[in-house]
Amino acid sequence: MTDPVRVRFAPSPTGYLHVGSGHSALANWLVARRTGGSFLLRIEDTDVERNRPELVDNVLEMLEWLGLTWDEEPVYQSRRGELYADAAAKLVAGGAVYFCDCTGEAVQTRNKAAGGKPGYDGFCRDRGLEPGPGRAARFRTPREGRTGWTDLVRGEVSFANADLEDFVVLRGNGNPMFLLANAFDDADMGITHVIRGEDHVNSTPKYLLLVDALGLARPTAFAHMPLLVNEQRKKLSKRRDDVSMADYRARGYLPEAMVNYLALLGWGPADGVEVRPVAEIVEQYRLEDVNASPAFFDQKKLSFVNAEHIRALATDEFLARSRPFLTRGEPAAHALASLAVEVQERVRTLAEVEPMIEFLVDDDPAVDEASWTKAITKGKAVPEMLDATIARLEALDLDAWTPESIQEAVAAAAVDAGIVNAEGAPQLSKAQGPVRVAISGRSVGPPLWESIAVLGRDRTLSRLRATRLRVG
RNA sequence: GCCCCCAUCGUCCAGCGGCCUAGGACGCCUCCCUUUCAAGGAGGUAACACGGGUUCGAAUCCCGUUGGGGGUGCCA
């Protein structure tokens, strides 16, 4: 029997949670849930200069929103300084590190003189400097041999030690660097599987060397997930791309749709069923099946997946999820309830819900210009159709105000207006255009008969009359 | 520059030596259904980067080339 899996998501609070880190977090969570292991959180806030503590809240909130719940209290590296100091002391005692007082500038100058190659040149490696203020501790990387590991996603990966520079482990101010804290904590927290983005591949050999030097156990497995890229095939970036998880939430994407879509990037279920409940993804997900090549974050497909998940919602649930997106409040909620099923199957995001029913809420709904041109200006027999519709609907009593009789009335109006085919039957698809624009201001929307039924007799007739007047 | 990784339709995924005249999904296009729009149905478009091997046989294995990406901080 193998030990239970322990994985972690280790964000650094220097930005909001974005879809790329969400992708990595999800992979960790899926593995933990599938194996019955633990999903842990570690906040990597060792860089005092760049940390924005309030961003931790955003990250936690977004993970919760996604449903990526964690199992133990999050670990904050900023509160574990002593542990890193002890670890560093051990490295010093063992001769694994040396002290260095080179400034970045000095290193650069020397590199330039030596032909412009980047990286630390080992200047202080044999100077025997004592520890002191402003002096950083650098890891003495081996000059020979290779360091590698078996990656669950990429197979065998290894680096020549000679290509590894003497990296800083402890800053001049005594604070630990990412690698020290990261490698130490993974061991300390008993992490068995290190699952993270491909951008960490290059630092993994240093991580391994450090773990060895510390006398700690290496994780049993690594998995470096494919990067998420934009249309230019570049790593998704906060500055250029649409990556904020909070933004997607605000734009009406469902967390289960986001999780579903993210899982599909770099991986696919064996049975080919792409859109499905998260629980089923948990069952099927295997790191061994994850692709190593970068994946394009396709918002069009995300929208499709989102629409599918919206349609899969129970009506009440759809109503409840839509509520935060209704800026018109309770009246909009009431209006939506009356056309819930019709709207639910027509939207791709929850942000699209309100525009579909706002004609039921607003006294004087805005008229969309393109719709007006299409259905009114360019429509045939528009005045006739409006007149006939008004007459036919006026003849309908309040208790006959149902979708069925409204349809019959509009059909009869079409015949009255001469909008018929060769057999004399009403052409509803042409005839309904002006009516729809008159009552809703748009040429697209929920089914007309139902819309008119919900709008009510008075409002329907007054909007038809107003439009008739405007047509002249 | 150096190091590492990647390479199947526009995009995502399947394929793990013969079942591939390469399959599914999104997108796009056509048609059907139809009160608009969706949804649904039926079609269509479109890919194994290139060159060498290995093998009876390669999209699948190996090498190289090319292309793309990532890393190269006293950031994480």
Side-chain angles (χ1 to χ4, degrees):
Chain A
M1 229 29 254
T2 52
D3 290 336
V5 166
R6 284 172 71 82
V7 295
R8 47 69 169 181
F9 175 55
S12 146
T14 53
Y16 296 99
L17 184 74
H18 65 102
V19 294
S21 29
H23 185 244
S24 295
L26 174 61
N28 278 283
W29 182 85
L30 286 170
V31 169
R33 291 295 167 264
R34 192 183 80 68
T35 58
S38 302
F39 174 61
L40 312 181
L41 242 43
R42 185 172 71 230
I43 310 301
E44 306 218 318
D45 50 358
T46 53
D47 187 350
V48 202
E49 310 283 300
R50 309 197 327 157
N51 281 333
R52 310 282 312 283
E54 66 276 14
L55 293 176
V56 173
D57 298 335
N58 172 273
V59 171
L60 299 188
E61 186 185 342
M62 286 304 110
L63 289 175
E64 268 178 335
W65 177 69
L66 288 168
L68 307 187
T69 50
W70 52 96
D71 296 309
E72 296 171 11
E73 277 304 301
V75 170
Y76 286 76
Q77 291 189 327
S78 57
R79 314 215 266 249
R80 292 162 63 85
E82 285 182 25
L83 292 172
Y84 309 128
D86 289 351
K90 199 168 172 187
L91 292 173
V92 174
V97 300
Y98 60 88
F99 288 89
C100 167
D101 61 1
C102 297
T103 62
E105 238 175 26
V107 176
Q108 250 182 29
T109 308
R110 284 199 302 270
N111 283 347
K112 207 163 272 177
K117 48 187 168 196
Y120 183 66
D121 58 357
F123 186 77
C124 298
R125 196 170 162 111
D126 300 312
R127 285 176 67 203
L129 253 34
E130 292 296 317
R135 288 182 178 175
R138 285 185 183 273
F139 190 85
R140 194 186 299 274
T141 57
R143 289 277 160 84
E144 291 172 356
R146 298 187 71 81
T147 302
W149 69 98
T150 303
D151 197 285
L152 259 25
V153 171
R154 278 150 224 281
E156 300 298 322
V157 184
S158 74
F159 290 73
N161 293 149
D163 290 328
L164 272 21
E165 63 176 318
D166 287 351
F167 56 96
V168 172
V169 157
L170 221 49
R171 293 179 169 85
N173 66 10
N175 285 134
M177 287 290 287
F178 153 74
L179 271 166
L180 175 61
N182 183 262
F184 173 83
D185 279 339
D186 280 346
D188 189 59
M189 293 165 71
I191 300 303
T192 59
H193 293 57
V194 174
I195 306 168
R196 50 196 343 186
E198 194 202 329
D199 43 356
H200 289 279
V201 167
N202 294 274
S203 64
T204 302
K206 297 174 185 173
Y207 172 112
L208 257 12
L209 255 16
L210 212 36
V211 169
D212 293 350
L214 252 12
L216 299 168
R218 292 183 174 194
T220 57
F222 283 89
H224 287 93
M225 300 292 292
L227 255 21
L228 264 32
V229 299
N230 62 20
E231 42 281 279
Q232 276 77 240
R233 299 250 121 211
K234 300 255 195 249
K235 177 168 76 157
L236 247 32
S237 118
K238 243 157 233 162
R239 300 204 47 173
R240 272 192 316 259
D241 308 306
D242 230 346
V243 296
S244 159
M245 197 63 85
D247 284 353
Y248 283 94
R249 177 177 63 174
R251 278 153 53 195
Y253 290 90
L254 264 32
E256 58 267 48
M258 179 58 82
V259 164
N260 190 160
Y261 179 63
L262 249 18
L264 258 19
L265 261 18
W267 175 84
D271 59 13
V273 180
E274 296 191 320
V275 179
R276 64 199 316 163
V278 176
E280 293 183 13
I281 295 172
V282 169
E283 284 174 34
Q284 296 204 31
Y285 198 82
R286 298 285 186 289
L287 282 176
E288 292 79 358
D289 296 334
V290 171
N291 276 339
S293 42
F296 171 60
F297 187 82
D298 185 357
Q299 296 202 34
K300 280 190 171 165
K301 182 137 185 185
L302 203 215
S303 287
F304 165 78
V305 173
N306 200 54
E308 292 275 299
H309 279 276
I310 286 178
R311 283 191 287 270
L313 257 24
T315 308
D316 285 351
E317 182 68 11
F318 168 66
L319 256 19
R321 303 272 202 114
S322 298
R323 190 54 234 258
F325 292 85
L326 302 176
T327 64
R328 287 164 177 78
E330 204 47 40
H334 275 294
L336 179 58
S338 63
L339 283 176
V341 176
E342 288 79 2
V343 172
Q344 185 176 0
E345 61 184 11
R346 284 172 173 75
V347 294
R348 293 168 80 81
T349 67
L350 295 178
E352 291 173 6
V353 169
E354 187 164 61
M356 300 214 78
I357 50 99
E358 61 188 28
F359 74 98
L360 292 171
V361 184
D362 298 352
D363 286 335
D364 191 15
V367 176
D368 173 60
E369 228 175 284
S371 297
W372 181 274
T373 304
K374 182 184 171 196
I376 307 283
T377 312
K378 293 185 175 171
K380 282 180 195 149
V382 172
E384 292 80 357
M385 182 59 199
L386 290 173
D387 284 336
T389 306
I390 291 165
R392 290 287 179 176
L393 289 179
E394 276 175 340
L396 270 190
D397 284 338
L398 212 50
D399 56 352
W401 198 257
T402 64
E404 295 71 29
S405 45
I406 289 166
Q407 173 174 5
E408 283 168 29
V410 175
V415 175
D416 297 344
I419 305 177
V420 294
N421 62 16
E423 285 79 44
Q427 292 182 291
L428 259 18
S429 63
K430 282 184 190 164
Q432 57 92 45
V435 178
R436 180 181 292 281
V437 172
I439 69 149
S440 73
R442 302 165 192 264
S443 58
V444 302
L448 228 210
W449 328 135
E450 284 76 4
S451 296
I452 290 175
V454 173
L455 223 207
R457 192 171 187 273
D458 291 347
R459 288 199 288 176
T460 300
L461 285 171
S462 79
R463 287 181 192 185
L464 285 167
R465 291 187 188 112
T467 303
R468 177 64 185 87
L469 239 64
R470 199 179 150 195
V471 169

